Amino acid sequence: MINMKNKSLIIFDWDGTLMDSVGLIVDAMRYAAEKHGLTVTDEATKSIIGIALVDAFPILFPNDSDKYDELLATYSEYYVKHCDNDKLFDGIKELIQDLHAQGKTLAIATGKKRKGLQRVLPNSGIEAFFITTKTADETAGKPNPLMLEQILVETGTRIEDAVFIGDSIHDIRMANNIGMDSIAVSYGCEKADVLAKEQPTKLVTTINELKQQLI
């Protein structure tokens, strides 16, 4: 039985794990698609949360590659305009503070671009607690485990002393691809039964359950 409380390095995904931004991502993608004469379901958008947009568009709009640049610009414009509505999930700030007080090393590995993360992280109230943050445009997009590899090297941590926490299948696949323990959270973009099929080390449904695993 793996005890997550013994982990010294806790790596978090951002969207849908720390920040309650899934609704905004869905709205932005729907808006961008409709503006350019395309359609996308909310479920389809949720399925690509966690990976870089440049990798997501071919999945959502496989026959419309000529519109990817326009889609990206429209999506980004909508997201930036409304991102002030983003907020941390209730209980996340306290969880991060408690982990930091315990001496845990904290990091972020996100499918966002650096520009996108820097738009929301400084105002989140938790930026100072993370020793490092990795974004898809600076490393490689999920499920490529390069972000996790770099964090391990940068922090001098053994893989068995680390855990990755995320809300999407791409998060769990990234952890599995490097052999890192993971905690899947089903309060974000994906349902528990879908996440369970990816065989995370642990699966929780609430932030309180996540806290019980870690503290």
Side-chain angles (χ1 to χ4, degrees):
M1 182 71 69
I2 297 173
N3 188 348
M4 297 298 181
K5 296 178 181 179
N6 293 332
K7 301 292 187 180
S8 61
L9 172 61
I10 319 295
I11 309 171
F12 290 90
D13 167 56
W14 183 259
D15 289 309
T17 301
L18 296 179
M19 180 158 277
D20 187 5
S21 51
V22 172
L24 177 55
I25 292 171
V26 169
D27 289 345
M29 191 65 73
R30 187 191 313 115
Y31 175 82
E34 291 176 352
K35 185 171 181 178
H36 297 290
L38 304 174
T39 59
V40 63
T41 65
D42 294 353
E43 291 73 20
T45 297
K46 289 179 180 179
S47 76
I48 57 83
I49 292 177
I51 64 176
L53 283 176
V54 293
D55 298 321
F57 287 143
I59 298 173
L60 297 177
F61 313 105
N63 301 316
D64 302 285
S65 58
D66 58 317
K67 296 184 178 181
Y68 291 168
D69 289 343
E70 294 176 339
L71 284 166
L72 178 58
T74 303
Y75 173 95
S76 299
E77 179 183 0
Y78 185 97
Y79 193 99
V80 170
K81 183 178 180 179
H82 296 88
C83 69
D84 287 344
N85 297 330
D86 277 359
K87 62 183 182 65
L88 299 177
F89 285 105
D90 291 340
I92 284 295
K93 185 174 183 178
E94 293 76 13
L95 172 61
I96 297 299
Q97 290 173 331
D98 289 345
L99 289 170
H100 183 263
Q102 286 190 345
K104 302 293 187 179
T105 300
L106 306 178
I108 292 171
T110 176
K112 281 184 174 297
K113 291 184 177 181
R114 173 60 58 185
K115 183 178 179 180
L117 182 63
Q118 285 306 115
R119 186 177 295 121
V120 292
L121 182 58
N123 297 322
S124 67
I126 59 174
E127 181 179 23
F129 298 112
F130 295 98
I131 191 169
T132 188
T133 62
K134 301 298 179 185
T135 59
D137 58 324
E138 294 177 342
T139 57
K142 302 171 185 178
N144 187 312
L146 181 59
M147 284 189 275
L148 301 183
E149 294 172 357
Q150 291 177 337
I151 291 172
L152 289 173
V153 171
E154 188 172 330
T155 60
T157 305
R158 301 181 306 170
I159 194 168
E160 56 265 34
D161 295 324
V163 59
F164 181 62
I165 302 168
D167 67 310
S168 77
I169 61 173
H170 313 290
D171 292 324
I172 307 309
R173 288 174 182 175
M174 179 171 70
N176 288 343
N177 283 342
I178 195 178
M180 182 180 290
D181 288 326
S182 62
I183 300 177
V185 300
S186 65
Y187 56 76
C189 74
E190 199 56 88
K191 296 179 180 179
D193 59 335
V194 175
L195 292 168
K197 293 178 182 178
E198 300 300 324
Q199 299 184 315
T201 312
K202 304 284 185 179
L203 174 62
V204 301
T205 60
T206 67
I207 290 169
N208 188 52
E209 289 180 8
L210 177 60
K211 182 175 182 179
Q212 290 173 358
Q213 286 287 336
L214 296 172
I215 296 177

